[in-house]
Amino acid sequence: MSSASDVAPAEAAADACTVRVVDPQKVALVTAALPGAETITELAQVFGLLSDPGRLRVIIALLEGGEMCVCDIAASCGHSESAVSHALRLLRANRVVRVRRAGRMAYYRLDDSHVRMLLDLALTHIGHGEEGS
């Protein structure tokens, strides 16, 4: 019976580096279709923004209410205006929301229909999971 210590280091390294591919054509197709590293990083940032419950409440408030000021968003979400302002600053920096200024007031809305579609799909997905339970 041999143990891991009986395997020569070079053999162990060769075994660890062996990549097994069952369907090389499919692997090539998928590899060519994968977005670039920068796009993957941006996607991860957007999903990271959406993963915070407080920011998600703000986004859903805007999804349901359309354009809203910070104080109305805060009242809708049950958060402080400071917390909502901080969330909106992050969301705006990542092009999830946009702002319109009217004098001293700032009104926020979802940046575009893509954000709305993403949220609608996620909510539909969650609802679909609840139906199957």
Side-chain angles (χ1 to χ4, degrees):
M1 184 164 127
S2 68
S3 68
S5 61
D6 293 340
V7 177
E11 291 173 341
D15 287 343
C17 293
T18 301
V19 176
R20 185 173 146 194
V21 176
V22 174
D23 189 341
Q25 290 176 327
K26 187 175 282 188
V27 169
L29 181 69
V30 170
T31 302
L34 285 174
E38 186 175 319
T39 300
I40 293 291
T41 299
E42 288 181 29
L43 278 170
Q45 288 173 338
V46 168
F47 282 111
L49 287 169
L50 299 177
S51 70
D52 177 78
R55 287 190 296 265
L56 199 50
R57 281 187 188 92
V58 168
I59 293 168
I60 292 172
L62 293 172
L63 176 67
E64 296 299 326
E67 189 175 72
M68 299 173 74
C69 68
V70 173
C71 54
D72 288 347
I73 297 169
S76 298
C77 296
H79 295 305
S80 69
E81 289 182 30
S82 175
V84 169
S85 290
H86 179 70
L88 288 167
R89 194 168 28 258
L90 289 172
L91 294 169
R92 187 170 169 222
N94 286 278
R95 300 183 336 255
V96 176
V97 300
R98 70 173 50 177
V99 64
R100 177 183 65 84
R101 300 203 183 274
R104 293 178 47 130
M105 295 296 294
Y107 294 92
Y108 291 86
R109 67 181 184 274
L110 296 178
D111 188 59
D112 60 28
S113 62
H114 298 116
V115 175
R116 182 172 300 279
M117 289 184 339
L118 182 61
L119 289 170
D120 283 340
L121 283 171
L123 288 168
T124 300
H125 176 71
I126 296 300
H128 175 72
E130 291 172 353
E131 292 170 4
S133 297

